Amino acid sequence: MANPREVAVLVGSLRKDSLSRKMAHVLIGLAPSNLKLQIVEIGQLPLYNQDGDANPPEQWAAFRARIRAADAVLFVTPEYNRSVPAPLKNAIDVGSRPYGQSAWNGKPGAVVSVSPSVIGAFGANHHLRQSLVFLNVPAMQQPEAYIGQADKLFDGSGKLTNDSTRNFLQEFIQAFAAWIEANRGARD
Ligand SMILES: Cc1cc2nc3c(=O)[nH]c(=O)nc-3n(C[C@H](O)[C@H](O)[C@H](O)COP(=O)(O)O)c2cc1C
């Protein structure tokens, strides 16, 4: 078999007991063997400031290199005030610069939004998609993943306890594998 596609997983929450991070780990466990999912941390990134483009902090350079090396990107995020949390927006901005050298350009992507609320962080999911349009990240449209009532989905050790959610996530990650193959452009 060819090498698995490398998928950079970005988790929008920095919280230790984050539901989004638990969800990311579930997706890592459900991924088919032709995908290799790895979380790329974002909490260490200094706030983006265009003045830094001339002499970027090493954390920016390392993050950009991780994203460039990936075949695809998967965002697993909560919603803060009907949008994406600031650390995730910061990571998106860091990866998008310097102008003309965006690390995101052309990488197939997908979005999973996670919330204790029944709305499933729809607002964050779609705010994020707005940025992905501009960044030329073809974002998988179906299935959509708005994971609501996420505080009721895990046991104390972070294991997913809801079978229908597991089945849905399995379908989602398999669809994403097909999406990556269909949208990977010139990376082969
Ligand atoms: C600053 C802040 C704003 C929030 N705004 C929203 C919101 O707009 N919609 C929502 O569904 N939940 C909102 N929440 C609740 C989060 O969904 C909840 O804290 C969730 O567990 C955070 O994700 P995590 O578990 O991955 O850290 C907010 C939480 C915080 C701390």
Side-chain angles (χ1 to χ4, degrees), residues 13 15 17-21 78-82 115-117:
S13 170
R15 193 167 77 88
D17 291 328
S18 161
L19 297 166
S20 309
R21 185 171 286 263
E79 177 172 273
Y80 277 9
N81 301 308
R82 296 285 183 257
S115 174
S117 136

